[in-house]
Amino acid sequence: MTSADVAASTLHPAERDAMARALTLAATDGLVLGSNPRVGCVLLDADGATLAEGFHRGAGTPHAEAVALTNARHAVGPDALRGATAVVTLEPCAHTGRTGPCAHALRDAGVGRVVYAQTDPHRVAAGGAQVLRDAGIDVVDAADLLDDDLASRVRDLNHAWTTAVTLGRPYVTWKVATSLDGRTAAADGTSRWITSAAARRDVHRLRAGVDTVLVGTGTLLADDPALTVRDAVGAQPLRAVMGLRDVPAGARLASPGPDGSRALHLRTRDPRAALAELWDHERRHVLLEGGRTLAAAFWRAGLVDEVVAYVAPVLLGAGPAAVADLGITTITGAARLDVTGVTLVAPDDADAPGDTTVRLALRPRKEQ
Amino acid sequence: MTSADVAASTLHPAERDAMARALTLAATDGLVLGSNPRVGCVLLDADGATLAEGFHRGAGTPHAEAVALTNARHAVGPDALRGATAVVTLEPCAHTGRTGPCAHALRDAGVGRVVYAQTDPHRVAAGGAQVLRDAGIDVVDAADLLDDDLASRVRDLNHAWTTAVTLGRPYVTWKVATSLDGRTAAADGTSRWITSAAARRDVHRLRAGVDTVLVGTGTLLADDPALTVRDAVGAQPLRAVMGLRDVPAGARLASPGPDGSRALHLRTRDPRAALAELWDHERRHVLLEGGRTLAAAFWRAGLVDEVVAYVAPVLLGAGPAAVADLGITTITGAARLDVTGVTLVAPDDADAPGDTTVRLALRPRKEQ
């Protein structure tokens, strides 16, 4: 297979398989991505056989394409890449950041064809496809050529990052844990625990998938949360608190985290200002935890991208509602969401056998 | 296979298979059971081959054993039952009600062995096993001999009926449909609709599985519900309203139902008295619909056996809570429930594509 054998608008079966493999590589667990997306790359020779693979391990480390090129040179030698095809999950960057631009590296290596699954949404880094085309390389934007399975894997791989980069602010996931009747505490304010031990451990996994965990000063003063990730595989997320009140010296958030990091105090009540400051700290995915007033402020500002709700099989009948006033007065104004995932969190040994928690992932519905 | 070949404490494979078949027959859709349980019966000859089958179609019709005996006599002749084995899902009755006792019918037919899966919990009808043993027939209470799959099918088959007969009052299922934040209406009281069209149709299926649908006069006056079953396969459940206030002549519940039946007005505020009156009307399974105050009264009296909760992907932020005060003041007093089933009700054509409703079945946890 040479680049001339395959039209620019079709995908060779070997390239389809390579893309599936590149997606698997990109989705490797336990990466410390920082502000960067997940990317995987597979290099194929002229016969469609795999020359080398690579994936990105996070900000400050080489990009997926660079890793794969290095691996190919080690394995096959410097000339192995003449006429090779690079299959990449994301459009190669044209931007010199902490590493050189991948489009140049692919061009200079003599690659004959580049297939990528997603256009780079980043205004600064984009333009790699044009650089490659200008060098006479076959470039295939495969977004519309993938089957449904691969296309949905591409969408899911960097959903939060893509949204963040497109909007120019961190992606916001609002986590809420409630009783079956929508309460977060009993009448006297006690709330430990409404959800099962298994559900609380699931929250740690949720935290491990974001780069920032945010609470309001109200929650800080009421609950003194630690906001750390138990058994973290990757990095601890940044712990952030938002509001005008001071963080007491004795608060858990005033102490360094398990990795020695300090919490960040955003001295504002404006969700947009808080997100702008987090963006400047290279944050791309914020988890709102606790603070029904804080969450309502984000919601009313249209700054919630996703809701993750843990519904526990518990009735309280009284106590604070999980969700504060959203400004909705009548049923036609109800905030409708689309369910994107439902998981049953089975009880663990510390829980009662029937203590199944339902975990819903939802996205606010566009055009209501 | 004769009765002497099989010890009273073991189950022949043919008997195991016959029990599975009897359970399937008992669970036939669209039956009008009235106050009676579901029962299936399979008659086997001495070689373990099926002679005939039968199942009960509801109060006033022949019992499963009688149906099977009649079918066997028609198919094989009057002497076919000498030495036969009757495999029945429920202990044969010893009680002359609207039909004669099945234990006598089996004895008189010359059956040599009777295998049943559940002891009759009914104080009046029970005793059939003893009648059969006294006649020298091998009797096997197979409750502890069934594999997990069959045992759980036996438990589920008549769960509500068994509980009702054991407690001497109708089984109570409380249906609640809420937004994700536990509200049943918006701030101005409007509530049509919080749940999807698909979820509302599912409620009709839920109603079709009970014999009584109950609301309070408060809900009657506020919502004027019809409480009928759309596209009913079996009978319409009894429509009942509870409370001291009169039913207005113009209310939907004041008109005859689709089958010409009248609604029943229970002039009491006492859940126990209401259930006693329904029991006297031969009601065994009551669905509480609407009326958070009514539901709370049943809950606080310990008279809720099951909760079916429809959680819609909607946020309201304000409006009445789905569940009224249950007398719970602190988290250690929370009402914990065991999840017995989770169903995702997919949206239908009238709904938005992401409008998945989560349907939870739960039972109040014993010993908290």
Side-chain angles (χ1 to χ4, degrees):
Chain A
M1 184 181 86
T2 70
S3 56
D5 295 338
V6 188
S9 62
T10 61
L11 215 55
H12 190 277
E15 292 172 347
R16 190 264 171 215
D17 294 347
M19 187 64 82
R21 173 67 185 156
L23 284 165
T24 300
L25 291 167
T28 301
D29 265 348
L31 304 179
V32 184
L33 290 160
S35 60
N36 284 10
R38 295 175 175 277
V39 187
C41 175
V42 173
L43 295 169
L44 302 176
D45 69 14
D47 297 321
T50 298
L51 284 169
E53 305 176 337
F55 60 94
H56 181 51
R57 295 182 176 274
T61 72
H63 288 188
E65 300 91 322
V67 175
L69 290 171
T70 302
N71 288 345
R73 289 190 182 103
H74 281 169
V76 197
D79 289 333
L81 297 158
R82 292 272 145 223
T85 295
V87 177
V88 200
T89 56
L90 184 68
E91 179 185 356
C93 71
H95 165 67
T96 303
R98 278 166 287 208
T99 65
C102 293
H104 295 188
L106 291 167
R107 180 195 63 197
D108 298 345
V111 164
R113 178 173 162 96
V114 174
V115 178
Y116 62 88
Q118 183 191 352
T119 301
D120 192 332
H122 205 290
R123 273 173 246 159
V124 180
Q130 198 52 51
V131 167
L132 293 162
R133 280 199 190 92
D134 291 347
I137 295 171
D138 271 356
V139 177
V140 182
D141 174 354
D144 297 329
L145 307 175
L146 301 176
D147 54 58
D148 289 350
D149 176 49
L150 283 193
S152 100
R153 286 175 64 189
V154 171
R155 266 196 308 277
D156 292 348
L157 181 66
N158 289 305
H159 173 75
W161 177 86
T162 303
T163 306
V165 169
T166 305
L167 298 175
R169 60 154 178 84
Y171 185 83
V172 175
T173 297
W174 169 17
K175 185 218 90 180
V176 58
T178 81
S179 67
L180 193 56
D181 54 334
R183 302 180 189 281
T184 49
D188 66 353
T190 52
S191 64
R192 290 186 181 171
W193 297 104
I194 288 176
T195 55
S196 65
R200 300 196 302 275
R201 207 170 48 230
D202 197 85
V203 169
H204 282 262
R205 281 194 290 273
L206 183 65
R207 278 185 201 149
V210 303
D211 59 33
T212 308
V213 179
L214 178 63
V215 295
T217 46
T219 294
L220 173 82
L221 296 169
D223 295 350
D224 191 21
L227 299 181
T228 51
V229 177
R230 217 183 295 153
D231 309 324
V233 179
Q236 292 282 336
L238 172 68
R239 298 167 301 144
V241 59
M242 170 178 164
L244 302 179
R245 285 180 282 181
D246 287 331
V247 175
R252 294 200 205 181
L253 279 184
S255 304
D259 57 352
S261 66
R262 298 185 150 280
L264 179 66
H265 187 173
L266 307 164
R267 288 196 182 266
T268 175
R269 281 182 177 157
D270 173 9
R272 206 165 291 277
L275 290 181
E277 193 172 341
L278 289 169
W279 180 266
D280 291 341
H281 279 83
E282 305 214 321
R283 300 294 133 177
R284 298 297 178 259
H285 192 170
V286 174
L287 182 66
L288 292 185
E289 281 210 63
R292 51 200 290 274
T293 312
L294 181 75
F298 274 78
W299 182 273
R300 296 178 77 153
L303 294 172
V304 172
D305 300 298
E306 180 185 46
V307 179
V308 175
Y310 293 87
V311 182
V314 170
L315 292 173
L316 288 167
V323 176
D325 192 0
L326 301 175
I328 297 163
T329 55
T330 191
I331 192 70
T332 51
R336 309 261 166 197
L337 297 95
D338 292 318
V339 176
T340 57
V342 181
T343 314
L344 302 184
V345 184
D348 71 13
D349 293 344
D351 301 314
D355 206 355
T356 302
T357 301
V358 179
R359 179 196 200 270
L360 288 161
L362 314 103
R363 292 188 190 147
R365 190 170 299 164
K366 309 299 178 193
E367 312 109 356
Q368 287 183 27
Chain B
M1 182 181 87
T2 69
S3 55
D5 295 338
V6 187
S9 62
T10 62
L11 215 56
H12 190 276
E15 293 172 346
R16 191 263 171 214
D17 293 347
M19 188 63 83
R21 172 67 184 154
L23 284 164
T24 300
L25 292 168
T28 300
D29 265 348
L31 304 179
V32 184
L33 290 160
S35 59
N36 284 10
R38 295 176 175 276
V39 186
C41 175
V42 173
L43 295 169
L44 302 176
D45 69 14
D47 297 322
T50 299
L51 283 170
E53 304 176 339
F55 61 93
H56 180 52
R57 293 181 178 276
T61 71
H63 287 189
E65 300 92 323
V67 174
L69 289 172
T70 301
N71 288 345
R73 288 191 182 103
H74 281 168
V76 196
D79 290 334
L81 297 158
R82 292 271 145 224
T85 295
V87 176
V88 201
T89 56
L90 184 67
E91 179 186 355
C93 71
H95 165 66
T96 303
R98 280 167 287 209
T99 64
C102 293
H104 295 189
L106 291 167
R107 178 194 64 197
D108 298 346
V111 164
R113 178 173 161 95
V114 174
V115 177
Y116 62 88
Q118 184 191 349
T119 301
D120 192 334
H122 206 291
R123 273 173 247 158
V124 180
Q130 198 52 51
V131 167
L132 292 163
R133 280 200 189 91
D134 290 347
I137 295 170
D138 270 356
V139 177
V140 181
D141 174 354
D144 296 331
L145 307 176
L146 302 175
D147 54 59
D148 289 350
D149 175 48
L150 283 193
S152 99
R153 285 175 65 191
V154 170
R155 265 196 308 277
D156 292 347
L157 181 66
N158 289 304
H159 173 75
W161 177 86
T162 304
T163 306
V165 169
T166 305
L167 298 174
R169 61 155 178 85
Y171 185 84
V172 176
T173 296
W174 170 18
K175 185 217 90 180
V176 58
T178 82
S179 67
L180 193 56
D181 54 333
R183 302 181 189 279
T184 49
D188 66 353
T190 52
S191 63
R192 291 187 179 170
W193 297 104
I194 288 178
T195 55
S196 65
R200 299 196 302 275
R201 208 170 49 231
D202 197 85
V203 170
H204 281 261
R205 280 194 289 274
L206 183 64
R207 279 186 200 147
V210 304
D211 58 32
T212 307
V213 179
L214 179 64
V215 295
T217 46
T219 294
L220 174 82
L221 295 169
D223 295 349
D224 190 21
L227 299 181
T228 51
V229 178
R230 217 184 293 155
D231 311 324
V233 179
Q236 292 282 335
L238 172 68
R239 298 167 302 145
V241 59
M242 172 176 163
L244 301 178
R245 285 180 282 182
D246 287 332
V247 174
R252 293 201 207 181
L253 277 184
S255 304
D259 57 351
S261 66
R262 297 184 150 281
L264 179 67
H265 188 171
L266 306 164
R267 288 197 183 266
T268 176
R269 280 184 177 156
D270 173 8
R272 206 165 289 276
L275 290 182
E277 192 172 340
L278 289 169
W279 179 265
D280 291 342
H281 281 81
E282 305 214 321
R283 300 293 132 178
R284 299 297 179 260
H285 192 169
V286 174
L287 182 66
L288 292 185
E289 281 211 64
R292 53 201 287 273
T293 312
L294 181 75
F298 274 78
W299 182 274
R300 296 178 76 152
L303 293 173
V304 172
D305 300 298
E306 181 185 45
V307 179
V308 176
Y310 292 87
V311 181
V314 169
L315 292 173
L316 288 167
V323 176
D325 191 359
L326 302 175
I328 297 163
T329 55
T330 191
I331 193 69
T332 52
R336 308 261 166 197
L337 297 94
D338 293 317
V339 176
T340 57
V342 181
T343 314
L344 302 184
V345 184
D348 71 14
D349 293 345
D351 301 314
D355 206 354
T356 302
T357 302
V358 179
R359 178 197 201 269
L360 289 162
L362 314 103
R363 292 189 190 146
R365 190 169 299 162
K366 310 296 179 194
E367 313 110 354
Q368 287 181 29

